[in-house]
């Protein structure tokens, strides 16, 4: 039986679990104050009762599935294509999130103008006026001949425009402004956003057009709106502004057509977003005096090395419970490393607060930062500055051993290229041949590294 149209439900804004009445906490995801009133979901067309009867599918052998139906469309911005996994895939739906002012609209306008002649692009805005967009395009001196614009928030109207114009790419800025007549509820609310997105997804799959949606972030930095959005789309990327710098990083969080470990780097200039083709050292400021608690690590981002500075501060704790605060590295990992330091390095941070920060707002997910984090912690604790020309990388295991990480040679070479003269690295990453100008200390254990440096 189809559900009555008037039935009221309360839907979680994050996980879309439905509840028959209001309650403070969602039973689905455990979040507080996320329930919104909505009218019962409409039966999705084509799914109900007799809808199944008309659908015919076939079973195919895996080896016989043809792959030629997936050409990539390069956007002309290599940093974007890198994160996409080679380019845009026809019929796919992308969601790009980020803080206000990160540059989402700028990036998409640049891409739209560049692709318009080749692909046919419809740029739909629910946030800015057509004049604002035109002004930006003129100021950035983008090609303006072919791009089609519409200021629209109703999905039905957007789909009507799209079926008339037949664009290869539809950009919708933003998904939170969308509304549809098919369901009730306030624009931006979970029911509206979900249904509006579902319609655009269906349109993309049926027409083969690429749909790019802009999404806002909530105050926790996650994507605003229903979590289910992420399941509906093919690719989800976040454009992040590295703390008050002009650099922007684009990272894939989900990609049905490529890897998610690539990082794209852009700089916001007065001519819009420009790619940073060789970003390995952009987050380093090399002119500062050596300071205690700071050390450079070479991390591996996707297919490239990136030099970042790790800072630690060890301070007398004011409360009963010493604090372990991290920005850019995992807090659990820090707790684990401090335990290893205590047990195998015979250094106890005990009742001190420990703060660790990765400079530039970069997040390091790699274990290669283990050794540098611990060296920075001890450097701060003892108030001994490590030499500026020193860098380190290496994973630290629970028995105090220093384990090799992938791409050791490339990391060493990259740092040497940027003028670093001394390295501390795992013995497993010791270069077979010496690297010119680089003095490498290859260590087997954490203790060896500590003995050599402090
Ligand atoms: P915008 O693309 O509007 O951000 P979003 O859509 O993610 O909210 O970017 C606006 C910011 O970028 C704003 O702070 C001004 C800055 N900006 C530049 O510095 N140079 C430029 O050429 C443009 C277009 C924007
Ligand atoms: Mg915008």
């Amino acid at each position: 039986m189809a559900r009555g149209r008037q039935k009221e439900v309360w839907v979680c804004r994050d996980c879309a679990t439905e509840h028959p009445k209001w309650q403070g906490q969602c039973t689905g995801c455990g979040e507080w104050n996320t329930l919104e009133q909505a009218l019962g979901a409409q039966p999705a067309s084509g799914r109900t009762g007799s809808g199944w009867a008309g659908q015919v599918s076939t079973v195919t052998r895996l080896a016989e599935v043809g792959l030629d139906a997936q050409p990539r469309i390069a956007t002309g911005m290599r940093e974007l294509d890198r994160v996409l996994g080679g380019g845009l895939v026809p019929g796919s739906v992308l969601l790009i999130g980020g803080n206000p002012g990160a540059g989402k609209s700028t990036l998409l306008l640049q891409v739209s103008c560049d692709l318009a002649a080749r692909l046919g692009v419809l740029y739909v805005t629910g946030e800015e006026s057509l004049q604002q967009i035109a002004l930006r395009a003129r100021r950035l001196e983008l090609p303006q001949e072919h791009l089609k614009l519409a200021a629209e928030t109703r999905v039905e109207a957007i789909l009507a425009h799209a079926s008339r114009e037949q664009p290869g790419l539809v950009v919708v800025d933003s998904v939170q402004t969308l509304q549809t007549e098919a369901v009730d509820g306030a624009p931006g609310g979970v029911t509206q956003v979900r249904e509006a997105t579902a319609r655009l997804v269906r349109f993309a799959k049926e027409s083969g057009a690429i749909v790019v949606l802009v999404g806002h972030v909530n105050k926790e930095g996650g994507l605003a709106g229903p979590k289910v959005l992420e399941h509906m789309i093919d690719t989800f990327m976040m454009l992040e502004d590295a703390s008050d710098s002009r650099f922007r990083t684009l990272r894939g969080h989900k990609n049905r057509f490529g890897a998610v470990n690539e990082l794209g780097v852009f700089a916001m200039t007065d001519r819009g977003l420009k790619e940073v083709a060789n970003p390995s050292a952009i987050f380093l400021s090399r002119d500062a005096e050596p300071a205690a608690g700071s050390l450079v690590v070479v991390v591996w981002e996707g297919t490239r090395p990136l030099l970042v500075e790790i800072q630690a501060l060890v301070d007398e704790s004011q409360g009963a419970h010493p604090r372990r605060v991290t920005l850019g590295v995992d807090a659990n990992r820090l707790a684990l490393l401090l335990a290893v330091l205590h047990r195998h390095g015979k250094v106890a941070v005990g009742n001190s607060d420990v703060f660790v920060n990765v400079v530039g707002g970069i997040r390091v997910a790699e274990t290669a930062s283990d050794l540098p984090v611990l060296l920075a912690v001890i450097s701060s604790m003892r108030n001994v500055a490590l030499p500026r020309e020193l860098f380190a990388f290496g994973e630290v295991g629970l028995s105090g051993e220093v384990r090799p990480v992938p791409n050791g040679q490339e990391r060493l070479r990259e740092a040497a290229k940027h003028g670093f003269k001394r390295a501390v690295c795992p013995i497993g990453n010791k270069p077979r041949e010496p690297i010119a100008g680089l003095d490498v200390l290859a260590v087997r254990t954490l203790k060896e590294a500590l003995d050599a440096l402090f």
Side-chain angles (χ1 to χ4, degrees):
M1 271 301 289
R3 243 183 295 182
R5 188 175 162 75
Q6 295 311 317
K7 188 183 166 201
E8 279 190 353
V9 290
W10 293 83
V11 184
C12 172
R13 162 161 13 101
D14 283 347
C15 69
T17 303
E18 294 187 3
H19 304 75
K21 59 182 171 44
W22 185 86
Q23 55 196 64
Q25 189 182 21
C26 170
T27 48
C29 61
E31 280 298 312
W32 289 89
N33 296 323
T34 53
L35 298 199
E36 282 180 9
Q37 189 171 24
L39 288 164
Q42 300 296 298
S45 49
R47 277 286 182 77
T48 48
S50 59
W52 290 105
Q55 297 178 0
V56 181
S57 62
T58 53
V59 175
T60 314
R61 221 184 282 272
L62 174 61
E64 286 163 12
V65 178
L67 294 181
D68 38 57
Q70 227 173 63
R72 298 273 181 162
I73 297 163
T75 60
M77 271 196 166
R78 265 170 320 186
E79 289 295 298
L80 176 60
D81 290 340
R82 167 191 292 279
V83 181
L84 288 170
L88 295 160
V89 177
S92 69
V93 181
L94 272 82
L95 181 62
I96 168 161
N99 284 321
K104 304 179 293 296
S105 306
T106 306
L107 177 67
L108 291 176
L109 185 65
Q110 287 178 252
V111 170
S112 298
C113 286
D114 285 340
L115 284 179
R118 249 194 303 152
L119 203 59
V121 180
L122 176 62
Y123 188 104
V124 182
T125 174
E127 305 209 329
E128 293 162 302
S129 69
L130 298 184
Q131 285 76 16
Q132 277 172 307
I133 292 174
L135 206 65
R136 181 181 290 159
R138 305 238 158 103
R139 205 166 53 70
L140 301 183
E141 293 174 16
L142 299 172
Q144 293 154 42
E145 240 2 72
H146 300 279
L147 183 66
K148 302 275 177 65
L149 292 182
E152 186 56 77
T153 58
R154 293 165 303 148
V155 173
E156 287 75 13
I158 295 173
L159 293 178
H161 291 321
S163 67
R164 211 169 29 251
E165 301 287 339
Q166 308 223 317
L169 169 66
V170 181
V171 174
V172 180
D173 187 1
S174 68
V175 71
Q176 274 82 13
T177 62
L178 288 180
Q179 41 187 326
T180 167
E181 289 151 17
V183 292
D184 294 304
V190 53
T191 351
Q192 285 279 323
V193 170
R194 189 171 45 167
E195 182 60 25
T197 307
R199 293 192 163 221
L200 289 170
V201 170
R202 220 173 303 147
F203 161 74
K205 303 297 164 200
E206 281 165 12
S207 68
I210 301 155
V211 174
V212 178
L213 306 167
V214 172
H216 294 173
V217 294
N218 57 26
K219 58 182 185 303
E220 287 90 35
L223 185 75
K227 202 80 189 147
V228 279
L229 271 191
E230 287 174 47
H231 297 291
M232 296 161 73
I233 46 110
D234 297 303
T235 302
F236 173 40
M237 305 183 295
M238 288 282 272
L239 187 63
E240 284 160 4
D241 26 0
S243 56
D244 74 4
S245 89
R246 62 200 179 94
F247 293 112
R248 305 285 191 271
T249 57
L250 184 69
R251 197 187 283 274
H253 287 257
K254 164 180 178 176
N255 192 351
R256 286 187 179 147
F257 307 107
V260 288
N261 58 357
E262 283 288 1
L263 184 75
V265 182
F266 300 89
M268 181 60 93
T269 68
D270 54 356
R271 284 296 167 81
L273 284 167
K274 290 267 182 288
E275 328 175 40
V276 179
N278 192 0
S280 62
I282 57 169
F283 297 106
L284 292 187
S285 60
R286 298 295 301 146
D287 42 21
E289 283 291 296
S294 154
L295 184 60
V296 167
V297 55
V298 190
V299 293
W300 202 258
E301 281 291 347
T303 52
R304 297 187 291 199
L306 190 65
L307 278 74
V308 292
E309 181 182 340
I310 289 188
Q311 293 181 327
L313 179 65
V314 180
D315 192 23
E316 202 178 303
S317 181
Q318 301 300 323
H321 300 287
R323 303 176 64 195
R324 307 280 181 253
V325 181
T326 62
L327 278 175
V329 287
D330 184 43
N332 288 331
R333 190 89 201 157
L334 175 64
L336 182 152
L337 290 171
L338 292 178
V340 176
L341 183 64
H342 183 205
R343 180 70 183 270
H344 300 284
K346 303 284 180 260
V347 179
V349 289
N351 287 328
S352 304
D353 290 334
V354 181
F355 304 93
V356 173
N357 176 40
V358 181
V359 179
I362 292 288
R363 250 178 309 119
V364 179
E366 261 202 322
T367 52
S369 62
D370 289 356
L371 183 60
V373 163
L374 287 181
L375 296 177
V377 164
I378 298 175
S379 160
S380 168
M381 215 174 135
R382 308 229 164 124
N383 202 17
V384 177
L386 292 163
R388 282 309 271 182
E389 80 264 13
L390 178 80
F391 70 98
F393 61 86
E395 177 176 330
V396 175
L398 285 183
S399 44
E401 80 280 21
V402 175
R403 297 166 166 270
V405 294
N407 309 100
Q409 311 290 306
E410 289 90 337
R411 292 182 208 240
L412 291 167
R413 284 219 180 80
E414 188 66 28
K417 218 161 72 188
H418 289 287
F420 285 84
K421 298 200 163 47
R422 287 176 65 192
V424 183
C425 76
I427 190 105
N429 290 124
K430 188 183 162 82
R432 280 175 294 275
E433 288 149 28
I435 295 171
L438 190 68
D439 179 14
V440 180
L441 173 68
V443 294
R444 221 172 287 274
T445 62
L446 176 62
K447 182 134 195 332
E448 268 181 56
L450 299 185
D451 290 345
L453 289 174
F454 296 98

